[in-house]
Amino acid sequence: MKRFSGGDQSRAVAIWLFATAALVFAMVVVGGVTRLTGSGLSITEWKPIMGAVPPMNAADWAEAFEKYRAIPQYEQVNAGMTLGEFKGIFWWEWIHRQLGRLIGVVFALPFAVFLIPRRLPRRLIVRCAILLGLGGLQGLIGWWMVSSGLSERVDVAPERLATHLGLALLIFAGLIWTGLEAWNGEEHSRHPVGWSRGAAILLGAIFLQCLLGGLVAGAKAGFVYTDWPMMNGAFLPPVEWGMGGLAFLHDQALVQFNHRLVAYGLLIGGTVYAVQAWRWRLAEGLGASAFLLAAALWLQAALGVVTLINAVPLWLGALHQAGAALVLAAATVNLWLVRRSQPRLFMSGPRSTVL
């Protein structure tokens, strides 16, 4: 009887996981374009299987357009839209959903192919199963997000958009991490606890910043406050505190203010982390990884400012969303490298300290 490969590495499994991560990255970018073009509500039904087939004739297009004309977004935002204009936003949403279906197939089929003949390392089976489950959940959350804009709103709820984006990025990071595990095999050495904790905090803060960016996008705050470093000439414009806790999710001034503050904190924290990592030289390559992450943070912040002061043009908005995913990827790889590095011993008199 064949055995699972246990703790052994599997380059084939790693390539499959990295390829799936690349597709998720593409879906994140297309999702940003879908949002910026106002296309997300153009398909008003959720048909996981039959929805893969787009309108095939004039009658089908007329029916799809009629369903869109029945929702508030058409009545209050796009009244008078032509069928040709509707097709323009329809195709972006259809491509976005098709990518989701493609990712499901690209992940599920090889998973079975690797699992049945027991070619998948045992330690990765549960992780891959969880990623598969999260992918299915993402489809449900996507519809939960879309449904929030079909009856009472003209767009999707910001917190639902942030949840949808956050889960996509969580899957993206999980695929990268698991791919690295498959490529390199199991590791049992101790890792530097303090540095591992710092890298994990930095990764968590970057993920939080991505969620805040989702709230900014959902509230369309980037179209309202387009100056920097002030916000319409104020440090913090008036906030609708009457909304209570919802102000942190819906108020345009507050969500962008929070996004900016966390960005400043990340620039400081990422720079300090990089300088310290370079000074202590934990292991070969870790200093370069830390500086690469810090550079990515600075570039993303600069791109965010340029995107903002230009009132979020489509190409800059999509590039900024792609940059967020790449920064998260860099932070994920950095944490993985730290946890795989050997702790460095520094002598202090007769005793050694493990960082």
Side-chain angles (χ1 to χ4, degrees):
M1 179 183 296
K2 291 183 178 180
R3 295 184 176 181
F4 287 99
S5 57
D8 296 340
Q9 64 188 42
S10 174
R11 297 290 172 85
V13 168
I15 292 171
W16 158 57
L17 292 169
F18 290 144
T20 308
L23 285 174
V24 172
F25 173 78
M27 189 168 185
V28 168
V29 176
V30 171
V33 174
T34 301
R35 170 182 55 80
L36 290 166
T37 55
S39 306
L41 300 178
S42 59
I43 302 178
T44 61
E45 297 176 311
W46 188 48
K47 296 180 178 179
I49 298 177
M50 298 304 297
V53 180
M56 302 299 292
N57 51 52
D60 291 343
W61 278 112
E63 181 183 358
F65 190 28
E66 189 61 30
K67 290 176 179 177
Y68 176 70
R69 293 173 65 183
I71 69 172
Q73 186 185 76
Y74 173 82
E75 297 174 354
Q76 300 179 37
V77 179
N78 291 326
M81 171 182 277
T82 66
L83 178 60
E85 291 170 333
F86 169 72
K87 289 180 179 181
I89 64 172
F90 178 94
W91 284 120
W92 275 118
E93 175 63 8
W94 186 81
I95 291 171
H96 185 56
R97 296 193 186 193
Q98 284 300 100
L99 267 174
R101 294 182 177 96
L102 177 62
I103 291 169
V105 172
V106 167
F107 190 88
L109 290 184
F111 182 42
V113 169
F114 286 121
L115 186 62
I116 293 173
R118 303 189 176 191
R119 296 179 59 192
L120 186 66
R122 184 187 297 275
R123 63 197 174 86
L124 301 183
I125 294 175
V126 173
R127 301 186 196 188
C128 290
I130 290 174
L131 288 170
L132 180 61
L134 290 177
L137 179 62
Q138 178 72 329
L140 291 173
I141 288 180
W143 175 246
W144 174 66
M145 176 190 68
V146 169
S147 65
S148 67
L150 297 179
S151 57
E152 299 177 357
R153 299 176 56 92
V154 298
D155 49 17
V156 300
E159 65 274 15
R160 297 193 186 189
L161 187 150
T163 302
H164 188 52
L165 174 63
L167 184 54
L169 293 175
L170 183 63
I171 293 170
F172 178 60
L175 287 165
I176 292 173
W177 186 284
T178 309
L180 290 169
E181 290 287 306
W183 186 272
N184 293 276
E186 195 169 9
E187 178 67 39
H188 298 288
S189 64
R190 292 181 59 194
H191 58 270
V193 177
W195 283 98
S196 180
R197 186 180 299 116
I201 291 173
L202 193 55
L203 173 60
I206 289 170
F207 182 72
L208 172 63
Q209 177 70 336
C210 291
L211 295 181
L212 291 174
L215 291 177
V216 171
K220 294 181 171 57
F223 296 102
V224 177
Y225 300 101
T226 59
D227 56 333
W228 183 85
M230 307 301 282
M231 297 176 63
N232 282 2
F235 179 67
L236 173 61
V239 174
E240 291 291 337
W241 293 111
M243 291 189 287
L246 287 177
F248 289 91
L249 303 176
H250 291 190
D251 185 84
Q252 293 175 318
L254 189 57
V255 295
Q256 192 184 123
F257 179 76
N258 291 336
H259 191 51
R260 293 187 184 199
L261 282 187
V262 174
Y264 301 147
L266 279 172
L267 291 177
I268 295 171
T271 302
V272 171
Y273 173 83
V275 171
Q276 291 296 94
W278 187 264
R279 285 183 58 202
W280 290 107
R281 300 184 184 276
L282 288 178
E284 184 178 355
L286 282 186
S289 172
F291 266 96
L292 178 63
L293 176 56
L297 285 168
W298 279 95
L299 285 173
Q300 177 68 354
L303 180 59
V305 172
V306 172
T307 303
L308 184 72
I309 62 178
N310 285 281
V312 198
L314 177 60
W315 71 277
L316 277 176
L319 190 60
H320 189 54
Q321 182 142 321
L326 292 176
V327 171
L328 186 72
T332 301
V333 173
N334 176 72
L335 175 58
W336 187 89
L337 288 172
V338 170
R339 292 184 61 83
R340 283 299 182 102
S341 67
Q342 296 290 334
R344 183 183 176 94
L345 297 178
F346 292 89
M347 301 303 297
S348 178
R351 297 192 303 171
S352 299
T353 302
V354 180
L355 293 183

